[in-house]
């Protein structure tokens, strides 16, 4: 079968090219890919090349297909899996395999297995680990965003608190507590805010900080304090750059109690230090943001760590249970991952977008792999609509959904591009 994919040959060497996929083996599955959301982790991969821990050393002769936040439809099933999977099944997938201790992962390590492609081959380890899952939602992009949303969910589940009676660790964010999401107006921050409103832990208050008023205003539009109040949560957005004393300002928002759970969403030492300084007694800080600098560090108050029982930890990725929860919440409509997306494009836009990801403002860049289209900001649809009637319709569709990407917009785009969904 012919496939078209963005493949990596080395540091900053991404190429969109066509090639022959081999015939699948009895323990493999062939899938048609429709969507992939571009992750900052892929940018880190292409910056590091063979130095990345997940990258194979022979990628210059056996290039890897990049992209790991992908979704699509199963096309052909090897004999081993025909009692569990059928052609036409829509799927989501968990890329964090960790198969027998290996770091190999789709989008990083495999020649035929990744998301930025028209077709790919799932190797046996994916199915053996239960990492290929049916998705019953109304769109492909929501299944693509299941992976980043599972990271947010995993972050909540991994938080912990203790007590002095038996030293048992109570897992998860503190029920009825205060949550701080520092640097939280980006895509992963907004995903974490959204989950905090519907999770079983049910916090009393979520405070989200940033230093960019424009990002804060957009965040208020897509996840509003009024919407949070309907879920019984007080949601506060705060610009710490405008506070005379950021620590005191954040403490005042909790009436001096501090924050039971803190997520640090940006790798900035001053943000880490501020976040650590507002932890409540038995507070837990999750350094969620992955830095590119292997020597990244920040000053933390070890006195508080000792006397006020604060905890420091970090999470990266989610597990199968987290992805299942993300998919169920999205499919049921309780959680809308659309808040993450600010740009939409086609397969021809992926390489350039990935190479320049930190320079492109906004949130998640969503790519559809079955057609060509420049990576386009949703907020630019109206301007493009002045000369292109289709973008005018697409703009109105997004406006009808609080300015967000949505299942109707995806269907419109597929019809406009002549994309047929396999059934």
């Amino acid at each position: 079968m012919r496939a078209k994919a963005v493949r990596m040959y080395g540091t900053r060497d991404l190429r969109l090219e066509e090639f022959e996929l081999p015939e699948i083996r009895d323990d493999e599955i062939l899938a048609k890919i429709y969507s992939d959301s571009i992750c900052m982790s892929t940018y880190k991969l292409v910056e590091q090349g063979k130095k990345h821990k997940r990258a194979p050393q022979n990628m210059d002769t056996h290039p890897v297909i990049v992209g790991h936040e992908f979704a699509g439809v199963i096309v052909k099933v090897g004999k081993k899996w025909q009692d569990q999977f059928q052609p036409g099944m829509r799927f989501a997938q968990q890329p964090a395999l960790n198969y027998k201790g290996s770091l190999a992962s789709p989008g990083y390590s495999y020649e035929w297995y990744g998301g930025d492609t028209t077709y790919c081959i799932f190797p046996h380890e994916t199915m053996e680990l239960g990492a290929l899952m049916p998705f019953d939602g109304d769109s492909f992009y929501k299944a693509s965003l299941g992976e980043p949303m599972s990271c947010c969910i995993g972050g909540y589940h991994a938080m912990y608190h203790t007590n002095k009676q038996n030293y048992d660790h109570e897992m998860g964010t503190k029920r009825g507590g205060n949550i701080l999401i520092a640097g939280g107006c980006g895509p992963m921050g907004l995903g974490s805010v959204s989950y905090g409103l519907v999770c079983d832990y049910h916090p009393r208050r979520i405070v989200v900080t940033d230093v960019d008023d424009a990002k804060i205003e957009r965040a208020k539009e897509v996840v509003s304090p009024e919407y949070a109040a309907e879920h019984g949560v007080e949601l506060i957005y705060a610009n710490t750059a405008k506070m005379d004393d950021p620590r005191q300002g954040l403490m005042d928002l909790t009436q001096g109690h501090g924050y039971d759970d803190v997520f640090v969403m940006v790798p900035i030492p001053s943000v880490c230090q501020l976040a650590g300084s507002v932890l409540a007694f038995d507070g837990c800080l999750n350094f969620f943001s992955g830095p590119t600098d292997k020597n990244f560090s920040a000053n933390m108050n070890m006195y508080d760590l000792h006397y006020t029982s604060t905890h420091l930890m970090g999470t990266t990725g989610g597990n199968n249970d987290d992805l299942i929860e993300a998919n169920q919440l999205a499919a049921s409509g309780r959680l809308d991952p659309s808040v993450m997306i600010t740009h939409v494009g086609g397969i021809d836009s992926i390489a350039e977008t990935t190479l320049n990801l930190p320079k492109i403002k906004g949130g998640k860049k969503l790519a559809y792999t079955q057609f060509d289209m420049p990576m386009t900001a949703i907020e630019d649809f109206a301007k493009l609509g002045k000369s292109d009637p289709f973008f005018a319709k697409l703009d109105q569709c997004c406006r009808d959904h609080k300015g967000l990407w949505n299942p109707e917009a995806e269907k419109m785009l597929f019809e406009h591009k002549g994309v047929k969904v396999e059934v």
Side-chain angles (χ1 to χ4, degrees):
M1 169 173 285
R2 295 291 291 175
K4 179 189 287 187
V6 177
R7 302 202 287 182
M8 179 178 173
Y9 286 79
T11 303
R12 294 189 63 81
D13 188 355
L14 294 179
R15 307 177 196 177
L16 176 61
E17 53 194 7
E18 293 190 23
F19 53 92
E20 260 327 296
L21 278 177
E23 183 66 27
I24 65 167
R25 300 170 181 169
D26 288 347
D27 60 355
E28 296 177 331
I29 287 178
L30 175 68
K32 185 174 183 177
I33 309 305
Y34 287 90
S35 64
D36 179 71
S37 52
I38 301 175
C39 182
M40 186 61 74
S41 295
T42 303
Y43 168 77
K44 296 171 186 175
L45 168 70
V46 300
E47 283 292 311
Q48 295 178 31
K50 291 183 181 180
K51 295 179 181 179
H52 195 282
K53 290 184 177 181
R54 297 186 189 275
Q57 295 305 298
N58 65 345
M59 65 165 56
D60 51 336
T61 56
H62 292 79
V64 299
I65 298 175
V66 296
H68 59 273
E69 299 177 357
F70 60 96
V73 173
I74 290 176
V75 175
K76 187 177 181 180
V77 182
K79 291 180 180 179
K80 181 176 180 178
W81 307 109
Q82 288 177 359
D83 61 336
Q84 298 181 43
F85 301 94
Q86 298 77 41
M89 188 192 92
R90 293 192 181 199
F91 67 82
Q93 52 81 40
Q94 171 57 266
L97 301 179
N98 301 309
Y99 183 68
K100 296 183 178 181
S102 171
L103 290 176
S105 180
Y108 298 86
S109 318
Y110 291 89
E111 189 171 5
W112 315 121
Y113 182 27
D116 292 332
T117 182
T118 52
Y119 292 89
C120 80
I121 296 174
F122 283 84
H124 66 90
E125 53 263 38
T126 304
M127 286 69 77
E128 289 178 18
L129 293 168
L132 178 59
M133 308 168 189
F135 182 75
D136 298 323
D138 55 4
S139 57
F140 288 104
Y141 79 88
K142 287 184 180 179
S144 278
L145 292 173
E147 194 282 331
M149 188 59 71
S150 77
C151 299
C152 300
I153 292 173
Y156 272 76
H157 289 329
M159 302 294 267
Y160 69 98
H161 300 276
T162 60
N163 63 70
K164 298 297 184 182
Q165 285 72 44
N166 55 27
Y167 305 106
D168 286 347
H169 286 192
E170 182 177 358
M171 300 306 298
T173 56
K174 185 163 288 187
R175 288 167 172 79
N178 295 313
I179 292 177
L180 173 65
I181 303 179
C185 288
M188 299 304 284
L190 291 178
S192 297
V193 175
S194 299
Y195 180 70
L197 303 183
V198 300
C199 67
D200 291 338
Y201 306 118
H202 198 76
R204 173 189 176 189
R205 177 184 293 115
I206 298 177
V207 175
V208 186
T209 67
D210 210 292
V211 295
D212 186 325
D213 280 338
K215 290 177 67 176
I216 290 175
E217 287 307 309
R218 180 184 181 273
K220 286 181 179 179
E221 291 177 1
V222 298
V223 189
S224 70
E226 293 77 16
Y227 176 76
E230 294 174 4
H231 289 77
V233 178
E234 181 184 11
L235 176 59
I236 302 171
Y237 291 96
N239 187 332
T240 51
K242 293 186 174 181
M243 294 178 174
D244 293 334
D245 183 341
R247 181 189 180 278
Q248 189 59 50
L250 291 176
M251 291 295 292
D252 288 346
L253 294 176
T254 67
Q255 292 77 52
H257 173 82
Y259 295 86
D260 304 292
D261 298 280
V262 174
F263 295 90
V264 177
M265 311 303 291
V266 290
I268 300 174
S270 60
V271 176
C272 297
Q273 188 167 337
L274 174 61
S277 73
V278 296
L279 284 168
F281 182 85
D282 190 38
C284 186
L285 185 151
N286 184 339
F287 181 56
F288 188 92
S289 177
T292 55
D293 180 3
K294 294 181 179 180
N295 296 313
F296 178 86
S297 61
N299 292 327
M300 302 305 294
N301 191 316
M302 305 306 287
Y303 181 93
D304 288 345
L305 191 71
H306 178 80
Y307 284 105
T308 61
S309 301
T310 55
H311 320 295
L312 304 178
M313 46 87 71
T315 57
T316 175
N319 61 24
N320 283 6
D321 290 339
D322 299 326
L323 182 58
I324 290 170
E325 184 177 359
N327 291 339
Q328 290 175 341
L329 288 171
S332 68
R334 291 185 60 204
L335 184 65
D336 186 2
S338 307
V339 298
M340 294 182 170
I341 301 171
T342 58
H343 294 66
V344 179
I347 192 170
D348 60 322
S349 71
I350 292 173
E352 182 180 0
T353 299
T354 302
L355 290 168
N356 294 283
L357 201 55
K359 302 176 184 178
I360 306 173
K361 293 183 178 181
K364 275 282 184 185
K365 283 68 184 178
L366 173 67
Y368 288 104
T369 61
Q370 294 296 324
F371 55 80
D372 291 345
M373 174 180 163
M375 187 58 66
T376 308
I378 295 173
E379 65 180 13
D380 289 341
F381 287 175
K383 180 174 62 178
L384 295 171
K386 293 178 180 179
S387 57
D388 187 334
F390 172 72
F391 274 104
K393 294 178 182 178
L394 204 57
D395 173 62
Q396 186 58 55
C397 183
C398 292
R399 288 178 184 273
D400 291 341
H401 292 79
K402 299 191 299 183
L404 300 176
W405 193 244
N406 57 85
E408 289 78 12
E410 180 178 280
K411 291 175 184 176
M412 287 175 60
L413 192 54
F414 280 8
E415 291 176 3
H416 182 69
K417 294 291 186 177
V419 174
K420 180 182 178 182
V421 178
E422 300 287 339
V423 294

